Amino acid sequence: MSEVKLTAETRTEFGKGAARRVRRDNKVPGVLYGHGTEPLHLTLPGHELLLALRTPNVLISLDIDGKANELAIPKSVQRDPLKGHLEHVDLLLVKRGEKVTVEIPVHTEGELAAGGNLLEHVLNALPVEAEATHIPEAVTVSVQGLEAGASVLAKDITLPAGVTLAVEEDAVVLQVLAAQAEETEGETAEGEEVAEA
C-alpha cells in the first residue's frame, strides 16, 4: 500500500469564515484524532490531498508544523455536492503494526454464464481488519461462468495475508440475477387477438 507524505499546519481559527479563507488558499481544513488524544485541527494542501485520496484507505504521513510525523488514514471526506472539491477531511491517527477496520473496494473479473444475467454488487466495499501500514487497495473476485441464482459470500473471497473479515462470513457480497424474460411473439399475438375480441 502506498504511503503519501503531506505537510500540514495546525489551525487556530474555526467556523465557516475561517474554513472559507482556508479553501480560498487552495487548502483543506481537517481534524486528526484517535488513540485518546485531543483532536488536532489542521490545514492540509488541497491538490496533494486530492491526489492522495484517489487511493482508497491511503496511508498519510503528516509532517505537522515541524513536530514529529504522524500516520493517519482518511476516516471521513466531505465534498462540495455540486463542484466536487474537498471541503473537510477527518483523519484517524494510526500506529505502525496497529490493526484497523476499513472497507476495501470489491472488483470483479471474468464473464458470467451466457444468458444476459445481471451481476449485483450487494456490498461495493468489503469490511476488513488489517494492519494500518498494509491495507490492501482492493480485492478482486472472479465471476467467470456464474449462473443466475449464484452468489459470492464474504468467506469465499481470498484475502491477502494478515487481513481478516470484519463482516459475517455468510454476508452476500455479489449475486447473479436472472435476466428479465421477454414476451415471445406468439404470446404477444394471442394478447392482441384477445384485445380485439
Side-chain angles (χ1 to χ4, degrees):
M1 120 164 253
S2 55
E3 186 174 316
V4 177
K5 289 181 167 50
L6 293 180
T7 304
E9 303 160 7
T10 50
R11 258 186 320 137
T12 50
E13 288 188 304
F14 306 105
K16 286 186 177 177
R20 272 195 215 100
R21 282 193 292 280
V22 167
R23 290 187 204 105
R24 260 202 305 270
D25 293 336
N26 293 321
K27 295 183 178 180
V28 180
V31 64
L32 174 69
Y33 58 89
H35 291 289
T37 59
E38 282 288 313
L40 187 60
H41 296 273
L42 303 171
T43 300
L44 299 141
H47 183 65
E48 290 89 333
L49 180 62
L50 188 65
L51 292 177
L53 293 175
R54 287 186 178 166
T55 303
N57 301 311
V58 64
L59 186 66
I60 299 173
S61 174
L62 291 169
D63 180 10
I64 307 167
D65 290 340
K67 296 177 184 170
N69 277 23
E70 299 284 10
L71 285 178
I73 57 173
K75 200 64 184 166
S76 170
V77 178
Q78 293 171 22
R79 295 177 185 271
D80 181 290
L82 298 175
K83 297 180 182 170
H85 18 261
L86 298 173
E87 297 219 312
H88 190 274
V89 64
D90 285 7
L91 300 170
L92 180 65
L93 193 60
V94 294
K95 304 283 183 205
R96 291 191 191 278
E98 172 190 8
K99 291 260 189 181
V100 292
T101 301
V102 293
E103 292 189 345
I104 56 174
V106 177
H107 297 162
T108 58
E109 63 181 10
E111 298 289 325
L112 297 176
N117 297 325
L118 300 172
L119 181 66
E120 180 187 17
H121 284 254
V122 179
L123 292 178
N124 285 319
L126 185 67
V128 297
E129 189 178 69
E131 191 186 322
T133 54
H134 292 91
I135 299 171
E137 289 187 17
V139 287
T140 303
V141 180
S142 172
V143 295
Q144 186 65 39
L146 291 184
E147 300 192 355
S151 57
V152 176
L153 306 180
K155 67 181 176 187
D156 300 330
I157 297 175
T158 305
L159 297 172
V163 179
T164 55
L165 288 173
V167 67
E168 292 291 325
E169 287 189 347
D170 293 331
V172 176
V173 180
L174 302 166
Q175 63 185 9
V176 182
L177 304 176
Q180 296 292 327
E182 293 179 16
E183 285 185 316
T184 61
E185 283 180 27
E187 288 172 339
T188 309
E190 281 176 27
E192 285 171 1
E193 284 171 20
V194 171
E196 284 173 13

